[in-house]
Amino acid sequence: MDARPPRDYPVPMTQNFLDKVYKTDPEHMTDLYDQWAEGYDGELTGQGYATPGRLARLLADVAPDHDAPLMDFGCGTGLCGAALSAVGFTTIDGCDVSEGMLQEAQEKGIYRRLWHTSENGALPFHLSDYPLVTAAGVISTGAAPPQVLEQIVDQLAPRTFFAFSYNDHTLNDPDYMDALAAVTETRAAIVTENTGDHIPGLGSRSRVYVLEIA
Ligand SMILES: C[S@@+](CC[C@H](N)C(=O)[O-])C[C@H]1O[C@@H](n2cnc3c(N)ncnc32)[C@H](O)[C@@H]1O
């Protein structure tokens, strides 16, 4: 028997892009997010998207300075930025490879600055300038490949807090788990983590990690 509590959010009639995202080739991923941008918030919030709120609360518990510059890596339409703002972070920048997603983020008026980045290129800013970095649902099957975890960690300054999530698919993918092991064996320690709802309307879960860079 299903022991989950009753839904308190509307269930959409379609799940057009959530159905597609885990089946899309990496080379078509940015196009998919560009097409998804306008409907993303409705589809995700309609299914109770919980990871950004969990991530924001976990980071707020450990981060000493909520006014410190924070980079929301793979900010998408800004749902994680909104969750970070709601728990008291005040200086939030964002970056993403999808211009469509960035346009939606811009309209939220939460970000101090937004950057368009390329999947493979150098970043147009210094990640080491940010003592706080987040990546909700970004390093994941259905988004960025495992190497992106190491690329981010390699650019962070000592004592940076980096909060990110792995969904169910990602937790079951040895390549992503190996990437996490590689960074925690060399450059970072897991300060805190928790597992909980990711997209409850789909019954999916995620684990949120906060790393501190050595
Ligand atoms: C599932 S969405 C999550 C967006 C947002 N963080 C949220 O929680 O709603 C994944 C986002 O990661 C972005 N992304 C994928 N690969 C990326 C990369 N290498 N660098 C920056 N953003 C990337 C996608 O364009 C997309 O906006």
Side-chain angles (χ1 to χ4, degrees):
M1 206 176 115
D2 190 351
R4 268 185 281 149
R7 299 177 204 277
D8 60 357
Y9 45 84
V11 179
M13 295 300 289
T14 58
Q15 299 171 16
N16 291 333
F17 284 93
L18 278 169
D19 281 346
K20 284 184 200 160
V21 69
Y22 299 119
K23 301 173 193 155
T24 299
D25 302 332
E27 61 268 29
H28 297 122
M29 200 62 79
T30 302
D31 290 343
L32 178 127
Y33 280 106
D34 280 338
Q35 291 161 25
W36 193 2
E38 206 177 321
Y40 180 90
D41 286 9
E43 192 168 352
L44 269 286
T45 59
Q47 297 281 4
Y49 186 33
T51 294
R54 290 180 35 235
L55 181 150
R57 288 190 293 277
L58 207 59
L59 182 61
D61 286 347
V62 299
D65 180 4
H66 293 190
D67 298 320
L70 185 157
M71 172 53 68
D72 185 20
F73 192 96
C75 62
T77 62
L79 292 179
C80 188
L84 292 160
S85 176
V87 299
F89 291 102
T90 61
T91 315
I92 307 171
D93 292 346
C95 70
D96 203 285
V97 292
S98 160
E99 293 195 67
M101 298 292 267
L102 285 168
Q103 276 171 21
E104 298 293 322
Q106 182 78 50
E107 285 174 19
K108 290 201 171 53
I110 292 163
Y111 294 94
R112 180 181 67 168
R113 179 144 195 200
L114 288 166
W115 302 87
H116 182 228
T117 51
S118 85
E119 288 98 340
N120 304 315
L123 296 173
F125 53 84
H126 296 292
L127 256 184
S128 57
D129 288 344
Y130 292 91
L132 304 171
V133 177
T134 57
V138 179
I139 306 155
S140 165
T141 49
Q147 307 86 272
V148 170
L149 180 70
E150 292 168 271
Q151 286 166 6
I152 291 174
V153 168
D154 281 349
Q155 296 178 62
L156 299 177
R159 290 178 295 284
T160 299
F161 288 106
F162 174 36
F164 66 98
S165 64
Y166 271 6
N167 62 19
D168 289 326
H169 299 270
T170 312
L171 290 163
N172 286 315
D173 185 326
D175 291 342
Y176 285 93
M177 297 315 286
D178 287 350
L180 177 58
V183 298
T184 55
E185 277 163 19
T186 53
R187 281 226 50 213
I190 298 174
V191 178
T192 182
E193 63 182 86
N194 77 31
T195 303
D197 283 337
H198 177 49
I199 305 177
L202 301 183
S204 64
R205 314 243 316 151
S206 66
R207 189 170 304 155
V208 175
Y209 298 94
V210 182
L211 304 185
E212 184 174 10
I213 306 305

